[in-house]
Every structure is written in C-alpha cells, then in structure tokens.
Amino acid sequence: MAETDPPVPELQTLSPALYDVGQFAVLGAGLALLAYLLYAVVSRDEVSARYRPSAHAAICLAGVATAAYALLLLDWDTGFRLVDGSYRPTEEARTTEGTRYVDWSVTVPLLTVELLAVCSVAGTAARRLRASTMAAAFLMILTGYLGAQVVDQGRDRLALVVWGLVSTAFLGYLYVALIGAVRRSLPTMGPEAAASLRNATTVLLASFGAYPVVYAVPVFADVTPAWFVTMQVGYSVADVVAKVGFGVLVHKVAKLRTAEDVAAGADTHPEPVWSANVRESEAVPPVPGRRPAGS
C-alpha cells in the first residue's frame, strides 16, 4: 500500500486512551453476550414447545456471538503493539472487522428466526417467510462485507457506496417482511403480548439501522483513529441491543403467549408461567393420551 493511499480503517495507530476504550467496548459486549447465553439456556423451558424454536435460536446466536467476541478480544490484543507510547497496528488488526462480519452472517439470520417463531404466521407461509428473511439477512451482511472489507481493503468509496446500497436493499426487504409478519400477528394475541412484540420489533429494527450509519462513515471521510474506535463502540453497543435487549423482549412475548394458550386450554405447561413477578397462568400438566384443545 502506497503512503498516499487512504488508510485502511482497521490499521490505525491508537493512543493508549483510545485503545483502552475499544478494548472496554469489546470486553463489555462479550461479557453481556455470555450472560445472555447463560440466561437463554436456563430459561428455555419457561415457554411451551410451540414457541421454543425462538429460545433455541436465541441460544445459538448467543453462543456464536460470545465466541465471536472472544475472537475479537484476541484480535484486539494481538493486533496492536505498544511502541513509543502509541498502539501501532500489526497485520492481525485486519481481522477485527472480518470477525464481526462472520459473526453477523450467522447471528442476523438467527434474529429473524427468533422473531418469527413468536409470530402467528404458520405452515407453508411461515417456512417461506423464514427462508426468505434468513437469505436476505445473510446477503445483507455479505454485500456489506464486500464493500467494507474485500474491494480495495475497504478504501474504495465507490465500492462502499454500491455495495452499501445493495446491502440496504436487502435491509429494506427485511423491514417490510418482518413488520408485515408482526402486524398480522398482533390481533391474534393479548394486549400485553402484543405490546411486548411491538417493543421487540422496534428494538430490532432500530438496532439494524445503526449498522449502515457506522458503515457509511468511510464514504464521507477518512477514518481517523477516534472514528475507528467510535465504530467499535457503536458496533458493540448495537450488538448488545440487537441480541440481548431484543432477545429478552422476545422471550417475554413467548412466555405471555404460552400463558394465553394455557389459559385458553389450547396448550399445557408443567409449571406456572411468570412474567415480571406476575403469575400469568397456572401449571397445567399434560394428560397422557389427550391432546390440548385446538391441537
């Protein structure tokens, strides 16, 4: 790379303060995701089998994200060396953003599975919608990766714009498809579950919107060390909101819908369903040889 080339975003020399902020963001997000993974594992049986695919998707994405942040922390530790009072990048620093894109290529499709599993779309329509949103989510990440990392190491502004627009088109489809599924589902559930589902959808789609904003920074300006660290903080916060905040809200929807099904006699659950210290339904153990009403 010539001295006059625009700087590769990840290959920035950082002050000790900036290095520490980036490390804090990555470590903090990683620990939050680890805590959420443990929560998702121990709470999966709080919902009925009908909504348990949502819990399973949450466990999978939390596990992948936790592993990715462990690698990110390793990338951060090995990617910079303290020389004359500054942290200078090594070639390993290039893997920092690549690790994030690998993480997102798995976890973002799983986020769509997690949301759709508590919606009321069923049968063939549900399978088609799940497949199309997972594909759109993966292609959204892949095309963003091409612009941000592959073409001229993320320094080609035209490539950033073109691939960013393609990625945004897939994001637009996700907005339309997921909002449509949620709107069709709201009339089929009680007001508390509906409110929680709206909140979860708002959190997810708002956090999705944070990524294009950070992606667009190199389009309009060369990435300075301060901006590079700001990007790491922004991505880490968005990951926690999109995975942990959204996941807790979706789990609440699954519990409330489980309680509604039990109260209506449409399903059983071996333990009382609690939400925010409120008993939403009593325990109704399954009766051998008898199907729940409406099954």
Side-chain angles (χ1 to χ4, degrees):
M1 184 175 67
E3 291 294 328
T4 57
D5 284 342
V8 175
E10 300 86 80
L11 299 182
Q12 303 285 332
T13 297
L14 306 179
S15 68
L18 288 175
Y19 177 86
D20 288 345
V21 169
Q23 185 181 58
F24 181 87
V26 171
L27 179 58
L31 291 176
L33 288 161
L34 174 60
Y36 176 60
L37 171 61
L38 299 175
Y39 170 80
V41 169
V42 300
S43 64
R44 67 188 184 278
D45 291 332
E46 293 178 350
V47 303
S48 67
R50 178 181 178 185
Y51 306 110
R52 208 161 292 152
S54 179
H56 293 159
I59 293 170
C60 291
L61 75 86
V64 170
T66 300
Y69 267 85
L71 291 175
L72 278 170
L73 188 61
L74 181 62
D75 291 340
W76 198 262
D77 182 59
T78 61
F80 297 89
R81 287 290 178 265
L82 184 61
V83 179
D84 297 331
S86 298
Y87 282 91
R88 297 184 181 178
T90 65
E91 280 304 311
E92 284 78 8
R94 283 282 297 144
T95 63
T96 303
E97 296 304 284
T99 300
R100 288 192 182 276
Y101 277 95
V102 172
D103 168 14
W104 296 335
S105 70
V106 177
T107 57
V108 175
L110 286 172
L111 286 169
T112 68
V113 173
E114 191 177 356
L115 178 63
L116 292 175
V118 297
C119 290
S120 299
V121 184
T124 302
R127 289 190 292 271
R128 288 176 178 171
L129 185 59
R130 184 168 57 245
S132 66
T133 54
M134 290 183 71
F138 175 77
L139 291 172
M140 176 181 71
I141 300 304
L142 176 62
T143 52
Y145 175 69
L146 293 176
Q149 293 286 295
V150 176
V151 180
D152 198 21
Q153 296 183 306
R155 292 177 289 122
D156 188 320
R157 288 192 172 94
L158 178 60
L160 280 167
V161 171
V162 170
W163 288 113
L165 290 174
V166 175
S167 180
T168 301
F170 289 116
L171 175 63
Y173 170 75
L174 284 177
Y175 274 35
V176 172
L178 295 177
I179 290 174
V182 169
R183 291 185 65 180
R184 292 196 299 272
S185 302
L186 294 177
T188 67
M189 62 188 73
E192 188 177 1
S196 294
L197 181 58
R198 281 193 295 267
N199 292 338
T201 306
T202 299
V203 167
L204 180 65
L205 298 185
S207 63
F208 277 178
Y211 297 98
V213 173
V214 179
Y215 173 95
V217 171
V219 175
F220 302 103
D222 289 336
V223 178
T224 64
W227 262 119
F228 171 64
V229 173
T230 300
M231 289 169 65
Q232 302 311 307
V233 174
Y235 281 147
S236 298
V237 171
D239 278 348
V240 172
V241 172
K243 297 178 175 71
V244 180
F246 166 76
V248 170
L249 287 169
V250 167
H251 185 67
K252 180 181 179 181
V253 176
K255 288 199 295 182
L256 292 171
R257 297 209 69 183
T258 296
E260 291 173 1
D261 291 347
V262 171
D267 206 347
T268 62
H269 198 264
E271 298 177 350
V273 177
W274 292 81
S275 177
N277 293 325
V278 176
R279 187 192 293 260
E280 301 289 347
S281 71
E282 301 296 334
V284 179
V287 178
R290 180 189 300 177
R291 289 187 175 185
S295 63

